[in-house]
Amino acid sequence: MRFHQDQLQVLLVFTKDDSQCNGFRKACDKAGYKCTVTREPQAALTCFLDKYHDIIIIDHRHPRQLDAEATCRSIRSSKLSENTVIVGVVRRGDREESSVMPLITAGFTRRYVENPSIMACYNELIQLEYGEVQSQLKLRACNAIFTALEKSQEAIEITSEDHIIQYANPAFETTMGYQSGELLGKELAEAPINEKKADLLDTINSCIKIGKEWQGIYYAQKKNGDNIQQNVKIVPVIGQGGKIRHYVSIIRVCNGNKAEKIAECVQPDSLTAASQRRHSSLARIHSMTIDAPITKVINIINSAQENSPIPVTEALDRVLEILRTTELYSPQFGAKDDDPHANDLVGGLLCDGLRRLSGTDNVISSKNLHQVSGKITLHDIPPRIAQTMEKEEFWDFDIFELEAATHKRPLIYLGLRIFARFGICEFLNCSESTLRSWLQIIETNYHSSNPYHNSTHAADVLHATAYFLSKERIKQTLDPVDEVAALLAATIHDVDHPGRTNAFLCNAGSELAMLYNDIAVLESHHAALGFQLTIQDDKCNIFKNMERNDYRILRQGIIDMVLATEMTKHFEHVNKFVNSVNKPLASLEENRETDEDQEAINTMLRTPENRTLIKRMLIKCADVSNPCRSLEFCIEWAARISEEYFSQTDEEKKKGLPVVMPVFDRNTCSIPKSQISFIDYFITDMFDSWDAFVNLPDLMQHLDNNFKYWKGLDEMKLCSLRPPP
């Protein structure tokens, strides 16, 4: 749970404005806390009930003028003060140390021996904020968590490491037939009734004892002796000393003989084209043509489960879980012999470059990092640029107009706009000036001389990423850290791209290819350089204020997404997404009837493994979304990528390197054929599965229109971007 703390509020209860009172007041100003001073005990209670202060400091040095203990008791009499820290200021005495018990009995949290030094007061307040106040904040949040547990329709049980029940929510008590509080401190005998009880228990214990979740079907005995079948997830909770201290069991009673409903779907005549397209995408999920061998195995297992006894079904469930979370999805792919464009695209984009040259004559030198100059803020964006970004939340946003208005520097302006919309500075706890400097250094290290892989492409991918993140399904599935990782990954995903493919770099024996062992050369470089540029200068280090663990999680997410843009694993990523997300989701949605069914959908989508697959698909689709843009934008992007490939072919011929994509010869290439092949082999299946998940009717309509456009040019035997005037 994310704990949010507004500006800390401090109440000072002092009868006079002496040096100690002034010390705490100035310390509050230094710490950025909101401070209130009151003189009377009754006024202190009234003030607290009005503001609900986080810290109350009461002067305990002058009992004749102020009865501090009585004042504290009066505040504690209000239930609203249970999460408030109350400090008593006591006199510094020469005699023997007195007991703190009277203060504790009165309701004080701790005492402070008088010291009017501003720094001493400041240190006391800071220790309170990060100690008692933080703890109280968590306890306050626990109220919300327990309310959620109490109201949950799912039965939830929390046991100790010895399986003694520590908590059971009303749904659990009702399910098991017990009265409120009757189960606490007891141990339920819930032995599964199964052909192989011992084996199943051993499986459960061996799983949870090493800190892993277990989920499956077993039978439990109610208070009246009846047996009920339950779908149970048992989650071990690691506590003090790194040991398992609690087990959380989430239980759903199985519906048993729930009849399957077989309904015939009749589409009304008024169904829109967008809806038809979505039904088409959903239907295609079940007949994807990029099946890897592992996909066929999964289909066989699914069929075998239908009429199998429960033990076999459970065992096969575990098999499927293993198969869906390991690297077994690389397809056996073969392009058509009669389609040289497809062959070249497959060879050029799905190959790390297996053909090598000996010697060092063709080694590509590493580039020096560029330095940035000038500063831009969100508040001083020129009117023309601001006007071009007014529609940045829409899919048909004109990135080329922004490119022209910014003199080929669209990334910093669009980045500032989108990052402000998503609250990136607040999440990273960095200033706008730091973010601005970061965007400047990243954009400067994109090569404006590249026809395609320049900062305009990065800005375009960032725009598509933000658009996808704004879709309802994505907002319900991903966490804030996922959103931040996606936006940052999109920004750096092609930084310092040389305008050449991985295969070219490997064939040329480049320094980058040597460094990364010919594996995901560019993608590894983009991710590594993105972080190097960030941390090399404190002025642009957007991560400098993050907690170590938060940074590690964010960094892992960014790297994973950047590496997912490598095309050698394109079909593996799409195949995993279809089999682990699309198909299970379609099955659950077909049978959805209750809120519990919807919760099962949410749980399935929000597993760490599936969120990773969703993020990979998101950035992959954003990276190659050009065919899903409006026709004019699609044509412009096609012209740019073709020119970059033409340039690579020219250089390969000039240097005697193997020509990776021979059809991209500027003198003979058919751009319509290359686009048709790219859409056929890489885009259609991927966007069908993405559309089925996110619902993107506008994009799919653009894709249909653009494919027809290129097909029309090809049928006219034209090789150009446009028909003759």
Side-chain angles (χ1 to χ4, degrees), residues 650-666:
D650 292 343
E651 186 174 353
E652 286 167 335
K653 290 180 177 180
K654 181 179 178 181
K655 293 185 174 182
L657 294 170
V659 177
V660 175
M661 295 181 284
V663 297
F664 282 97
D665 184 313
R666 66 176 69 252

Side-chain angles (χ1 to χ4, degrees), residues 163 197-212 214 234 236 244 247:
H163 303 290
K197 298 178 185 178
D199 289 348
L200 184 56
L201 282 172
D202 287 344
T203 300
I204 297 173
N205 288 329
S206 63
C207 187
I208 62 178
K209 282 183 178 179
I210 61 174
K212 292 185 178 181
W214 180 87
I234 303 176
I244 296 173
Y247 296 101

Side-chain angles (χ1 to χ4, degrees), residues 163-372:
H163 303 290
I164 303 300
I165 296 176
Q166 308 292 301
Y167 170 82
N169 72 343
F172 182 88
E173 293 169 333
T174 301
T175 299
M176 302 306 296
Y178 288 88
Q179 297 296 318
S180 176
E182 193 176 352
L183 288 168
L184 298 184
K186 297 180 180 178
E187 179 179 4
L188 274 184
E190 296 184 6
I193 300 174
N194 201 297
E195 294 176 11
K196 296 184 179 180
K197 298 178 185 178
D199 289 348
L200 184 56
L201 282 172
D202 287 344
T203 300
I204 297 173
N205 288 329
S206 63
C207 187
I208 62 178
K209 282 183 178 179
I210 61 174
K212 292 185 178 181
E213 297 180 5
W214 180 87
Q215 183 168 358
I217 302 291
Y218 78 40
Y219 287 83
Q221 194 172 68
K222 297 174 66 175
K223 183 178 181 181
N224 62 9
D226 292 344
N227 294 323
I228 57 172
Q229 186 183 13
Q230 298 177 332
N231 188 330
V232 181
K233 177 186 283 188
I234 303 176
V235 184
V237 180
I238 306 298
Q240 187 177 12
K243 296 181 179 179
I244 296 173
R245 299 298 184 184
H246 293 90
Y247 296 101
V248 176
S249 298
I250 304 167
I251 301 162
R252 182 179 299 163
V253 177
C254 297
N255 291 333
N257 301 322
K258 184 169 101 174
E260 287 186 300
K261 294 185 178 179
I262 303 174
E264 198 170 334
C265 251
V266 181
Q267 295 184 356
D269 295 337
S270 60
L271 199 63
T272 64
S275 180
Q276 289 175 343
R277 177 73 220 197
R278 177 153 175 77
H279 282 296
S280 172
S281 293
L282 286 166
R284 283 177 59 84
I285 289 170
H286 299 283
S287 58
M288 286 289 188
T289 58
I290 56 172
D291 280 344
I294 190 64
T295 314
K296 298 173 183 177
V297 172
I298 289 175
N299 291 337
I300 293 171
I301 293 173
N302 282 328
S303 299
Q305 280 185 305
E306 291 181 3
N307 299 310
S308 298
I310 289 177
V312 175
T313 301
E314 291 172 354
L316 292 178
D317 274 335
R318 293 196 291 276
V319 171
L320 288 173
E321 184 178 349
I322 293 170
L323 294 179
R324 284 176 172 149
T325 55
T326 52
E327 303 297 320
L328 300 172
Y329 287 84
S330 296
Q332 296 172 331
F333 183 83
K336 298 177 181 178
D337 293 336
D338 59 351
D339 190 345
H341 291 82
N343 283 330
D344 279 3
L345 283 168
V346 171
L349 298 178
L350 299 186
C351 173
D352 275 323
L354 299 177
R355 294 168 288 185
R356 309 286 193 273
L357 293 182
S358 59
T360 58
D361 294 338
N362 297 303
V363 173
I364 298 176
S365 300
S366 61
K367 301 286 190 298
N368 291 325
L369 302 184
H370 301 285
Q371 298 301 314
V372 301

Side-chain angles (χ1 to χ4, degrees), residues 134-154:
Q134 190 68 23
S135 298
Q136 292 300 327
L137 188 63
K138 292 178 180 178
L139 288 173
R140 201 180 308 168
C142 283
N143 291 331
I145 294 172
F146 274 108
T147 299
L149 290 174
E150 290 286 302
K151 301 299 181 182
S152 173
Q153 295 181 359
E154 288 188 327

Side-chain angles (χ1 to χ4, degrees), residues 50 58 69 72 123 198 263 300 317 403 447 520 523 531 583 591 664 700 722:
D50 181 49
I58 304 175
E69 294 180 14
C72 182
N123 288 337
I300 293 171
D317 274 335
E403 178 190 59
H447 299 186
E523 293 72 25
F531 281 95
K583 290 184 179 180
N591 299 315
F664 282 97
M700 303 309 290
R722 302 176 188 276

Side-chain angles (χ1 to χ4, degrees), residues 312-514:
V312 175
T313 301
E314 291 172 354
L316 292 178
D317 274 335
R318 293 196 291 276
V319 171
L320 288 173
E321 184 178 349
I322 293 170
L323 294 179
R324 284 176 172 149
T325 55
T326 52
E327 303 297 320
L328 300 172
Y329 287 84
S330 296
Q332 296 172 331
F333 183 83
K336 298 177 181 178
D337 293 336
D338 59 351
D339 190 345
H341 291 82
N343 283 330
D344 279 3
L345 283 168
V346 171
L349 298 178
L350 299 186
C351 173
D352 275 323
L354 299 177
R355 294 168 288 185
R356 309 286 193 273
L357 293 182
S358 59
T360 58
D361 294 338
N362 297 303
V363 173
I364 298 176
S365 300
S366 61
K367 301 286 190 298
N368 291 325
L369 302 184
H370 301 285
Q371 298 301 314
V372 301
S373 60
K375 291 186 177 181
I376 303 165
T377 69
L378 194 58
H379 305 292
D380 60 12
I381 294 177
R384 182 191 171 194
I385 295 176
Q387 186 177 1
T388 63
M389 292 195 296
E390 285 181 355
K391 296 184 178 180
E392 58 88 11
E393 295 185 35
F394 299 93
W395 183 250
D396 287 335
F397 167 67
D398 192 342
I399 193 68
F400 300 114
E401 184 181 359
L402 181 62
E403 178 190 59
T406 60
H407 305 289
K408 296 187 176 181
R409 295 185 66 200
L411 184 58
I412 182 171
Y413 293 100
L414 188 62
L416 285 171
R417 175 91 172 212
I418 289 176
F419 286 10
R421 176 153 64 92
F422 280 86
I424 301 300
C425 286
E426 290 80 359
F427 183 91
L428 297 174
N429 192 23
C430 73
S431 65
E432 184 187 316
S433 62
T434 302
L435 177 63
R436 178 188 63 236
S437 298
W438 181 77
L439 284 167
Q440 285 180 293
I441 191 69
I442 295 298
E443 178 153 45
T444 307
N445 280 275
Y446 275 92
H447 299 186
S448 60
S449 57
N450 288 343
Y452 183 87
H453 287 102
N454 49 43
S455 69
T456 302
H457 167 66
D460 183 63
V461 175
L462 175 62
H463 171 261
T465 299
Y467 181 81
F468 293 150
L469 289 174
S470 300
K471 304 303 286 185
E472 196 58 37
R473 175 85 79 182
I474 302 298
K475 289 194 292 186
Q476 293 173 355
T477 304
L478 298 186
D479 290 334
V481 67
D482 298 322
E483 295 182 353
V484 176
L487 293 170
L488 296 181
T491 305
I492 70 168
H493 86 282
D494 271 334
V495 65
D496 196 39
H497 197 294
R500 299 291 182 264
T501 64
N502 278 332
F504 177 95
L505 298 182
C506 294
N507 289 333
S510 73
E511 290 182 5
L512 287 178
M514 295 295 183

